[in-house]
Amino acid sequence: MSVVVPVRETAGQQMTRTLATSGITAHTDADAGNSWLAINLGGADFPGVGVPQLVAYLYDTREDWLFVKEPVGSFPGTWRVAYDDGTRSRILFYGSASAMKATATETAECVAFITNFYKEHTTVPVVVSGNVLVDALAKHGISPVRDILSYAVPVKAEDPAKGGDDWSIYVADHQPSIDHPAAEHTGWDVCLCDGNGEPVRSLYDGIRRDGSLADCERDSSLAAAAIAEYLSTHRA
């Protein structure tokens, strides 16, 4: 009768699994021999060189660094967490376990520290209004040309004799801007302009005259629909 020996969880696996319950992704670094875990403070992917990150590793007074790929309890040791941004590195967390305790016995304590630090220091991506507009236009198969303060969509001139051949539809926020946060959006102004850049007429006006903010998703959808309708008969 064969005896099945259960595979022991490594210290790194235990830490990674526990952090995952808090929505935090930890990565092993194969190039470093899986000596530590890296936690990106700017996203969930593996942090590249110079990207702010937390580095969690095991420390033992006899051997200093321990490999997180070792089974839990293989060596006495404690977790340590360092902050690294490519230019400096400093230890932020020292595990409280004594040398007599098994490796990673204070995992929960370390996870609590990492979770709190992560929540306070992670960079939350800001949704940009211009990106919302581009996504809305893409649903109609439209790819606008980016300018500094607006997006342009080339169109066929309605009357070349009154403004040349290169007409465009310009879209900008009342700010005017296309890089402002979606939460600060004040409405898109969609204007047909001739080849000299002179306004011909408005195709859509979502600007709030009372200064209130607009729902960027809805406003972008309406602006994109207005542009698509015009392009259906006036393609460049």
Side-chain angles (χ1 to χ4, degrees), residues 30-213:
D31 291 338
N34 297 318
S35 300
W36 57 71
L37 296 175
I39 300 163
N40 192 340
L41 294 177
D45 55 339
F46 185 87
V49 178
V51 175
Q53 59 189 278
L54 293 179
V55 178
Y57 62 97
L58 291 165
Y59 179 81
D60 176 73
T61 55
R62 297 166 301 177
E63 299 185 30
D64 194 5
W65 286 76
L66 294 174
F67 284 40
V68 296
K69 65 181 180 182
E70 297 292 342
V72 173
S74 294
F75 301 95
T78 64
W79 280 106
R80 287 192 176 182
V81 179
Y83 170 84
D84 191 303
D85 62 6
T87 60
R88 57 187 176 133
S89 178
R90 66 181 188 278
I91 299 175
L92 303 178
F93 173 85
Y94 294 83
S96 60
S98 68
M100 296 301 294
K101 286 189 176 183
T103 298
T105 52
E106 81 284 14
T107 297
E109 180 184 350
C110 183
V111 167
F113 170 81
I114 292 175
T115 300
N116 290 333
F117 188 92
Y118 186 87
K119 290 179 178 179
E120 293 176 2
H121 296 84
T122 48
T123 302
V124 179
V126 175
V127 178
V128 177
S129 290
N131 293 343
V132 178
L133 174 66
V134 170
D135 289 343
L137 288 169
K139 294 177 181 179
H140 295 278
I142 304 171
S143 298
V145 179
R146 180 188 170 92
D147 200 346
I148 297 177
L149 298 176
S150 64
Y151 279 104
V153 179
V155 298
K156 181 180 179 180
E158 291 185 359
D159 188 350
K162 296 183 179 180
D165 295 323
D166 301 322
W167 287 31
S168 294
I169 296 173
Y170 287 95
V171 188
D173 184 89
H174 186 56
Q175 304 258 6
S177 167
I178 53 177
D179 292 323
H180 56 281
E184 299 174 9
H185 184 58
T186 58
W188 293 119
D189 179 16
V190 181
C191 184
L192 174 66
C193 297
D194 64 22
N196 298 319
E198 294 297 325
V200 175
R201 66 176 178 276
S202 174
L203 300 181
Y204 174 78
D205 185 355
I207 295 175
R208 302 296 193 271
R209 303 306 173 190
D210 60 0
S212 62
L213 299 178

